[in-house]
Amino acid sequence: MFDERQVIFILNQSKAIVTNSYLILYPKPDLENAINQNPNLDKLLIEALNQITGKAMVDEGRVYGGGMYKLEPKELANVPAFELQGLLSKGSK
């Protein structure tokens, strides 16, 4: 059984350096501009990302011996993110 709470997105407000144990996402310039225009947008994006189920993440990733799950950026791009897509298509500015 997969515990969906094992996958979580956090907003790195501290600008802390992260290890390669984490998948790090950076906004592209258009999204960064939108976030700068609407300071609440980054929090809404994190909420939308956290609506993605852990099962959806596992279905696109891979599992190594011992049960370690791995998700590469190209695999993450295949994860259904309807909540995120809906938020961005609204032109949240």
Side-chain angles (χ1 to χ4, degrees):
M1 178 183 280
F2 183 78
D3 183 354
E4 292 185 5
R5 295 171 293 177
Q6 291 175 336
V7 178
I8 186 169
F9 290 86
I10 58 171
L11 182 59
N12 182 6
Q13 294 176 310
S14 70
K15 309 277 189 221
I17 297 171
V18 272
T19 67
N20 64 357
S21 302
Y22 295 91
L23 184 60
I24 307 162
L25 305 175
Y26 297 98
K28 297 233 175 184
D30 288 344
L31 181 56
E32 188 171 19
N33 289 336
I35 291 169
N36 289 335
Q37 291 175 13
N38 179 358
N40 196 40
L41 182 57
D42 57 357
K43 291 166 189 64
L44 295 173
L45 291 169
I46 294 294
E47 287 176 16
L49 285 167
N50 279 315
Q51 295 301 313
I52 301 169
T53 65
K55 182 180 180 330
M57 298 279 196
V58 169
D59 288 348
E60 290 299 331
R62 63 190 93 151
V63 81
Y64 290 103
M68 183 181 95
Y69 290 94
K70 179 76 172 174
L71 186 71
E72 296 292 340
K74 288 183 181 181
E75 296 165 337
L76 180 60
N78 294 325
V79 173
F82 302 112
E83 298 83 1
L84 184 61
Q85 184 179 19
L87 178 63
L88 295 175
S89 67
K90 291 178 186 175
S92 302
K93 290 189 178 186

